[in-house]
């Protein structure tokens, strides 16, 4: 399941390991059913790996404990059924155990667990991770930030009008961008990878400005590594209705515009034209806007 989640967000083992702060060998071990639970937790945050079939909890260990209590099993009862020791049960619930022990516990505690599907399954109009930005919203983007030079998530049905389109076959995560402004409405199932790519395209000078429309998932590590304190973040109020998605009342998650390299004037204009709340990318920007 971990391997499938990693591939779903388009990361190699080396890339995922680097982002999780673990060695490639440690990641490989987890994907083989071994390694430490702490490593599993670190990797899960990067590849958006989430388990369905367990009670809610902050960590997998917390969720195991909650499932055991829900079944009214003692740690001794769980240990006997899983064929492990009582201390091993304790280490798993504390998050310090081994993945192989976790697998044995889950086999008896929650035999029907599965990887939770990405959010797209709940709202998308098909099996592909596609949603097309409405033209009226794009017109506001163009009036605020200027003409779009490159769309790295190009699609034949997209409303984006750009000088250059990087189509899915070219892979905008790998292909070099160019121009003054990139507008990015990426596959949300690979949101973390696209946030990193947007930041890199701006930081490396491929484009002057990047504006990315993406769910406001501020809990993921990619937000803190590539957005917070770097990009100006405009949180959209209400729900945006994408053109092709099956939605009742708009997209069911909060959305934000992450803007790398935008000028003070552009951010001020965006706030005037869009119903948004701003988290500035720097203390300098905050002072300018306050003035």
């Amino acid at each position: 399941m971990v391997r499938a989640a990693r591939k779903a967000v388009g990361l190699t083992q080396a890339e995922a390991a680097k982002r999780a702060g673990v060695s490639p060998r440690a990641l490989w071990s987890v994907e083989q059913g071994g390694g430490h639970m702490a490593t599993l937790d670190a990797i899960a945050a990067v590849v958006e790996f989430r388990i369905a079939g367990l009670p809610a909890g902050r960590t997998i260990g917390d969720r195991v404990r909650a499932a055991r209590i829900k079944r009214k099993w003692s740690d001794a009862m769980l240990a006997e059924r899983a064929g492990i020791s009582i201390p091993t049960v304790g280490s798993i619930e504390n998050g310090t155990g081994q993945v192989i022990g976790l697998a044995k516990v889950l086999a008896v505690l929650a035999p029907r667990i599965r990887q939770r599907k990405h959010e797209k399954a709940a709202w998308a109009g098909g099996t592909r991770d596609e949603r097309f930005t409405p033209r009226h919203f794009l017109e506001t983007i163009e009036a605020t930030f200027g003409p779009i030079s490159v769309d790295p998530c190009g699609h034949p049905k997209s409303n984006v009008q750009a000088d250059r389109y990087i189509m899915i076959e070219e892979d905008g995560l790998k292909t070099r961008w160019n121009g003054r402004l990139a507008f990015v409405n990426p596959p949300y199932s690979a949101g973390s990878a696209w946030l990193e790519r947007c930041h890199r395209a701006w930081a490396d000078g491929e484009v002057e400005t990047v504006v990315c429309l993406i769910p406001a998932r501020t809990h993921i590590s990619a937000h803190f590594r590539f957005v917070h304190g770097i990009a100006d973040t405009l949180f959209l109020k209400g729900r945006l209705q994408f053109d092709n998605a099956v939605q009742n009342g708009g997209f069911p998650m909060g959305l934000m515009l992450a803007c790398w390299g935008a000028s003070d004037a552009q951010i001020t204009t965006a706030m005037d034209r869009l119903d948004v709340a701003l988290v500035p990318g720097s203390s300098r920007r905050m002072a300018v806007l306050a003035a």
Side-chain angles (χ1 to χ4, degrees):
M1 291 191 292
V2 173
R3 184 185 301 109
R6 173 177 60 77
K7 290 183 176 181
V9 298
L11 295 178
T12 65
Q13 286 186 334
E15 291 169 338
K18 181 178 179 180
R19 295 181 190 182
V22 302
S23 70
R25 182 174 180 81
L27 186 146
W28 176 86
S29 182
V30 167
E31 292 191 356
Q32 297 297 315
H36 297 275
M37 286 180 58
T39 304
L40 172 60
D41 279 331
I43 295 168
V46 169
V47 303
E48 301 181 20
F49 170 67
R50 294 157 296 175
I51 294 177
L54 287 175
R58 185 177 59 86
T59 66
I60 295 176
D62 291 338
R63 299 178 70 189
V64 167
R65 181 185 294 108
R68 174 178 62 77
I69 294 173
K70 184 177 181 180
R71 282 179 173 260
K72 299 181 179 180
W73 289 2
S74 67
D75 51 1
M77 293 170 64
L78 176 56
E80 181 180 359
R81 286 170 168 79
I84 58 178
S85 67
I86 295 175
T88 298
V89 171
S91 67
I92 290 169
E93 294 186 354
N94 291 331
T96 59
Q98 301 285 324
V99 172
I100 190 170
L102 172 65
K104 291 180 179 179
V105 164
L106 294 178
V108 297
L109 190 61
R112 296 184 180 180
I113 66 162
R114 63 192 185 282
Q115 180 188 352
R116 202 172 87 193
K117 295 181 179 179
H118 291 292
E119 287 85 350
K120 65 178 182 180
W123 53 263
T127 57
R128 298 189 65 182
D129 192 6
E130 300 170 349
R131 71 220 54 81
F132 302 134
T133 311
R135 186 59 210 161
H136 69 84
F137 190 86
L138 288 167
E139 289 173 353
T140 302
I141 295 296
E142 293 164 350
T144 301
F145 298 97
I148 298 171
S149 303
V150 59
D151 175 5
C153 302
H155 190 284
K157 297 181 180 179
S158 172
N159 294 314
V160 176
Q161 296 179 3
D163 296 332
R164 177 192 176 199
Y165 303 93
I166 301 177
M167 308 305 282
I168 188 171
E169 295 82 5
E170 300 175 88
D171 191 355
L173 288 172
K174 299 178 180 178
T175 301
R176 184 176 176 82
W177 306 359
N178 68 291
R180 194 192 60 79
L181 172 66
F183 175 76
V184 188
N185 177 8
Y188 292 165
S189 62
S192 295
W194 279 98
L195 286 177
E196 180 177 2
R197 182 67 183 97
C198 287
H199 172 264
R200 189 170 75 250
W202 166 73
D204 291 350
E206 295 178 37
V207 289
E208 294 178 20
T209 307
V210 179
V211 176
C212 180
L213 176 64
I214 198 165
R217 297 192 293 195
T218 57
H219 64 287
I220 62 176
S221 60
H223 182 88
F224 288 91
R225 295 180 62 189
F226 306 114
V227 180
H228 186 66
I230 304 172
D232 294 292
T233 310
L234 300 166
F235 292 92
L236 277 63
K237 298 179 182 178
R239 294 184 174 186
L240 183 64
Q241 179 73 51
F242 290 105
D243 279 0
N244 65 318
V246 180
Q247 305 159 351
N248 295 318
F251 186 68
M253 299 173 63
L255 293 168
M256 69 182 189
L257 286 170
C259 309
W260 291 264
S263 69
D264 296 332
Q266 288 173 334
I267 295 300
T268 300
T269 302
M271 294 181 67
D272 290 338
R273 291 176 172 168
L274 294 168
D275 194 7
V276 295
L278 170 68
V279 174
S282 68
S283 57
R284 179 195 62 80
R285 172 63 56 78
M286 186 177 294
V288 168
L289 295 175

